[in-house]
Amino acid sequence: MMNTESQDIQKKLGPRITLKGLCPLTTERAERGYRLTKFLTSMRSVKQRTFFLNDEESCMDHFGLNDQEKEMVRNRAFTKMMEYGACTVAIGKANGAFKTSLMERGASELGMTVDEFVRIRKEANKGYIWQS
C-alpha cells in the first residue's frame, strides 16, 4: 500500500504502464554486460569506429567479446544487448559505428518503418505538454 506522498508522486507521473523491451539493470546484468558496454562506448572514438567499420571481427576480438556478445553485435540485436546487460546509453554511443539512429533502432525492434514508428510515437504523445 502506498503512503500519501507516494500516491501524490504517482498522480504526477501518470498511470503505470508495461513497456516492451524494458528490463531492470541488475548488478548481475551490469557485470555480465560490462565488456559489451565498454566495447559499445568505445565507438565514441573516431579511431575505434574506423577500426570497427573496417574490420568488425578484429575489433570485437580486440575487446575480448565472447561468441554470444559478437553475435548480438553482428545481428544488431539491441534489445538482446540490453537484456544481456549492456547499458542503453552505450548502445547509443555506437550509433555511428552501426550506421543507425535511435528512431531506426526503435522501429526495427518493433518491426516497423521509421515513418510508422514516428507516427505511432506522436499519436501516443498527443495531449502531453512536450508534444509539438
Side-chain angles (χ1 to χ4, degrees):
M1 183 165 196
M2 288 195 274
N3 62 34
T4 305
E5 185 178 347
S6 296
Q7 290 172 338
D8 290 343
I9 291 170
Q10 191 59 49
K11 283 179 187 175
K12 290 177 184 176
L13 293 175
R16 291 178 184 256
I17 59 170
T18 302
L19 299 174
K20 181 181 183 283
L22 185 66
C23 57
L25 185 60
T26 62
T27 303
E28 178 187 53
R29 276 192 172 121
E31 287 175 351
R32 182 180 58 208
Y34 177 77
R35 183 178 41 246
L36 182 57
T37 294
K38 187 174 177 181
F39 165 77
L40 294 166
T41 303
S42 79
M43 295 301 142
R44 292 180 301 179
S45 158
V46 173
K47 182 180 176 183
Q48 285 302 97
R49 275 195 312 275
T50 302
F51 181 19
F52 179 77
L53 291 168
N54 288 333
D55 188 348
E56 288 189 21
E57 293 302 316
S58 292
C59 187
M60 291 188 288
D61 287 341
H62 174 77
F63 275 85
L65 298 188
N66 65 33
D67 291 339
Q68 183 180 7
E69 294 162 344
K70 288 178 183 180
E71 194 64 23
M72 287 184 275
V73 171
R74 284 185 203 111
N75 293 323
R76 310 304 193 249
F78 305 114
T79 298
K80 286 184 181 179
M81 289 180 198
M82 288 186 291
E83 290 169 349
Y84 183 77
C87 172
T88 58
V89 172
I91 296 170
K93 301 292 182 192
N95 278 347
F98 291 142
K99 296 185 178 181
T100 190
S101 69
L102 178 61
M103 294 295 189
E104 290 167 330
R105 288 191 348 246
S108 172
E109 290 295 322
L110 296 173
M112 300 177 179
T113 67
V114 173
D115 288 341
E116 289 171 321
F117 181 75
V118 169
R119 182 181 48 75
I120 287 170
R121 296 310 319 139
K122 283 184 176 181
E123 186 66 33
N125 285 317
K126 278 192 177 172
Y128 287 97
I129 57 173
W130 59 80
Q131 178 206 4
S132 53

